[in-house]
Amino acid sequence: MRTLIRGGTVVTATGASAADVLIDGETVAALLDPVHTGALVGAADRTIDASGKYVIPGGIDVHTHLDMPFGGTFSADDFETGTRAAAWGGTTSLVDFAVQPKGGSLRETLDTWHAKAEGKASIDYGFHMIVSDVNSQTLKEMDVLVGEGVTSFKMFMAYPGVFYATDGEILQAMQRAASSGATIMMHAENGIAIDVLVAQALASGRTDPGWHGRTRPPELEGEATARAIRLAQVSGAPLYIVHLSAQQALAAVTEARDEGRNVFAETCPQYLYLSQEDLDAPGFEGAKYVCSPPVRPKDHWAHLWRGLRTNDLSIVSTDHCPFCFKEQKELGRGDFSKIPNGMPGIEHRVDLLHQGVVDGELSLARWVEVNSTTPARMFGLYPRKGTIAPGSDADIVVYDPALRHVLSAETHHMAVDYSAYEGRQVQGGVSAVFSRGEVLVSDRRWHGQAGRGRFLPRGACQYLR
Ligand code: URP
Ligand code: ZN
Ligand code: ZN
C-alpha cells in the first residue's frame, strides 16, 4: 500500500517546510518537493489532502499507567481504551510503567505487563519498570531487562511503605544502571517529610483535597530532586526526573545540566495548565486534580514554560493515570490521603502543547521536539520513531492548526467519567493519524484495531555525554 500525503507543511524538530510524504507499507519512503510530486500521484494507492495542515511525527507519550494497580484500585484505562484514546489525540507510541510488586521478580512483572498489552494495544508500546523492592535478585534482573529492551527503571523517593526506596537502595540501583547503560527515572518528592505533614493535617481536621497540595510543598520536590541528582553523580547513572512540577525542582535540574551532567526532566500538561485553585474547588471536586507531585500555585507555570524553551525540561508526557470520580476518587472522601493519585490526559497532550504554540510559549519545531523527537531519543527509539524521514516508521499525524474544539468528558475517548480540562477550548486538532502506514483516525472516525500495536524493545538513552 502506497500513500501520498500532499499539500501539507511538514514540521519536524528542525523546522517546517512545504513537502509531500510518500509512505510505502509501514515506513516513510520519501519526502518530496511538491513541485516534483505530480508524476507520483498515479503510483500511490491513496492520496491524502493535507492542504492548510501540518504533517508531524506521531506523538510519543513516555509516561503512562494503563491497567495499573494503585491506591487499592486499578487505573481506569486498560491498553485497549488507553491506546485508542492516545491515537485519537495524535499519540502513536507510548511507554508504560510495569510495576514490580514487593517481593516479586522484575522478569515475571514484565511478562504480566506484556500480557496486559497483547491483543489490546492499537499503537506501539514499550515498557519502563518500576523497581519497588531493591535486593540482589532485582539488581541482577535489571540487566536481564535491559537485554529485553526495557532500558529505564523508575524509583520513588515518595510513598513510604509502598514504592519508596531509601537513598542507599537508590544508589545501588543507580550503580547497576550505570554499568548496563540504563536510565534511572525518579519520582522526586521527600515522602518521609510529606507523610509527617499529611498526618499533622489530618489530625487537625484538614481533610479536603486542597490539603493534598499543601502537604506536598514544592520545597520537598526541590530537595528530593537535588538529592537524586547527587546520588546519580556519585553512581554515574543517567537520571531522568519524571513529572517535574515545581520551580525549585527545575532550578536543581538546570544547575545540574549547566554542570554538564546526564540529568534530564519532563513535565506534564497538568503542571502547565492546572493549579492549587483546582485542588481547592468547592466540595470534593478538587479530588479530580489529585496527583503527585501536586498541581502547584499558578506562578510555577511560567518557570516550566521557560524550562521547556531552554531544554532544561526536555519532554512533556502525560503521567496518564486515570481514576473515575465516582467510586475511585470517592475512596478519599473525608481523607484526602486516600484519594487515588493520578489524572487522565493521554488524549489531550498534543493539543494542549499546540495551545502553547498558539499562546506564544513554544515554537512549532519545539512543539514537535518535546512531543515526539526527544521522547524517541531519550528512550532509545530514534530514528524508527520521532521523525519523518526515509526509513522511519510511518507514524504520522495530519494536524489542523485552525480547528477549535472543546475538551470534555462528553466527547473524549478515555474510559474515565470526568475531564480535568472540562469546557476548555483549544485551537488545533488531529485530522488524520497513521501508525506504521495504517490509518487509525480520519474524518472523525476510528479505523484502528485492538491488538495491532507492537512491543517496542528500546535501546539506551541517545543523549548521554
Ligand atoms: O499521581 C500520580 N502521579 N500517579 C501516578 C503514579 C506516579 O507517581 O507517577
Ligand atoms: Zn511518580
Ligand atoms: Zn506516573
Side-chain angles (χ1 to χ4, degrees):
M1 172 69 118
R2 292 181 127 207
T3 304
L4 187 59
I5 303 177
R6 274 197 96 177
T9 300
V10 172
V11 187
T12 66
T14 54
S17 59
D20 298 335
V21 180
L22 183 64
I23 301 171
D24 193 355
E26 296 198 344
T27 56
V28 174
L31 271 88
L32 306 156
D33 181 335
V35 176
H36 304 299
T37 304
L40 272 172
V41 172
D45 303 296
R46 128 182 103 182
T47 300
I48 308 289
D49 179 14
S51 341
K53 310 215 168 92
Y54 299 141
V55 180
I56 58 173
I60 304 177
D61 189 344
V62 295
H63 189 151
T64 68
H65 301 279
L66 302 176
D67 199 3
M68 175 186 155
F70 194 43
T73 183
F74 279 81
S75 58
D77 271 312
D78 66 7
F79 278 83
E80 181 163 355
T81 61
T83 56
R84 190 168 59 214
W88 271 105
T91 289
T92 53
S93 302
L94 56 80
V95 188
D96 197 78
F97 285 88
V99 188
Q100 177 198 24
K102 282 248 184 271
S105 98
L106 298 188
R107 186 77 270 310
E108 282 167 17
T109 302
L110 183 59
D111 286 343
T112 305
W113 256 260
H114 275 300
K116 282 176 188 272
E118 234 169 77
K120 289 195 167 180
S122 52
I123 62 173
D124 294 346
Y125 57 91
F127 295 119
H128 314 284
M129 178 61 66
I130 288 178
V131 179
S132 62
D133 198 352
V134 177
N135 54 50
S136 56
Q137 179 64 21
T138 302
L139 292 169
K140 278 192 211 128
E141 285 183 317
M142 285 174 69
D143 296 352
V144 175
L145 262 60
V146 170
E148 294 189 27
V150 175
T151 54
S152 36
F153 298 87
K154 182 177 175 189
M155 304 195 76
F156 288 78
M157 299 168 116
Y159 303 126
V162 188
F163 296 132
Y164 174 82
T166 64
D167 287 358
E169 289 166 342
I170 289 169
L171 186 70
Q172 288 178 72
M174 284 179 165
Q175 287 168 335
R176 202 74 191 201
S179 74
S180 67
T183 298
I184 294 293
M185 308 171 79
M186 190 60 72
H187 182 131
E189 288 185 291
N190 184 328
I192 300 287
I194 285 168
D195 272 11
V196 171
L197 298 178
V198 169
Q200 288 170 346
L202 292 173
S204 59
R206 290 163 166 147
T207 59
D208 291 343
W211 283 91
H212 174 75
R214 288 189 195 87
T215 53
R216 307 182 85 95
E219 290 76 11
L220 294 184
E221 186 184 345
E223 181 277 327
T225 303
R227 186 157 36 99
I229 287 167
R230 292 310 157 206
L231 292 171
Q233 181 183 348
V234 169
S235 69
L239 176 67
Y240 179 90
I241 304 291
V242 292
H243 47 47
L244 187 149
S245 72
Q247 67 176 88
Q248 290 84 344
L250 177 58
V253 168
T254 304
E255 184 186 315
R257 290 179 61 76
D258 288 349
E259 288 170 2
R261 307 205 177 282
N262 285 321
V263 171
F264 311 93
E266 65 174 20
T267 190
C268 311
Q270 52 270 34
Y271 303 122
L272 297 164
Y273 288 102
L274 301 173
S275 76
Q276 176 72 39
E277 283 180 24
D278 295 292
L279 275 176
D280 282 327
F284 191 61
E285 281 292 291
K288 293 177 176 173
Y289 311 98
V290 166
C291 60
S292 294
V295 293
R296 300 294 183 188
K298 286 180 176 167
D299 54 306
H300 290 259
W301 294 352
H303 293 272
L304 300 185
W305 283 114
R306 196 263 304 147
L308 283 171
R309 286 191 292 276
T310 59
N311 202 34
D312 291 314
L313 293 171
S314 307
I315 289 176
V316 176
S317 64
T318 59
D319 193 10
H320 178 73
C321 190
F323 296 103
C324 286
F325 187 66
K326 286 207 185 78
E327 289 178 14
Q328 293 193 297
K329 290 287 187 181
E330 275 175 349
L331 292 169
R333 257 190 211 281
D335 179 349
F336 68 84
S337 72
K338 295 201 165 59
I339 300 169
N341 283 203
M343 279 176 47
I346 204 166
E347 191 168 346
H348 301 318
R349 185 181 62 105
V350 180
D351 287 345
L352 287 167
L353 276 179
H354 181 263
Q355 188 61 43
V357 177
V358 173
D359 295 341
E361 299 285 4
L362 297 180
S363 70
L364 261 187
R366 186 67 183 150
W367 170 51
V368 170
E369 195 167 30
V370 300
N371 169 42
S372 180
T373 312
T374 302
R377 296 184 70 183
M378 190 71 71
F379 292 103
L381 291 170
Y382 187 87
R384 177 174 170 194
K385 306 289 188 189
T387 192
I388 301 178
S392 295
D393 279 359
D395 290 4
I396 294 176
V397 174
V398 180
Y399 195 83
D400 183 349
L403 184 80
R404 285 173 196 275
H405 60 117
V406 174
L407 309 183
S408 170
E410 300 282 305
T411 48
H412 74 204
H413 301 84
M414 299 175 284
V416 58
D417 62 359
Y418 76 95
S419 172
Y421 303 97
E422 187 66 42
R424 184 182 295 259
Q425 191 185 69
V426 289
Q427 184 185 326
V430 159
S431 169
V433 178
F434 294 83
S435 163
R436 284 183 278 101
E438 282 178 34
V439 178
L440 298 189
V441 178
S442 74
D443 303 321
R444 303 306 302 157
R445 295 228 313 274
W446 176 249
H447 304 275
Q449 255 187 330
R452 66 165 295 288
R454 290 185 195 145
F455 172 64
L456 294 168
R458 297 179 293 108
C461 172
Q462 294 165 332
Y463 286 110
L464 301 187
R465 290 180 277 263

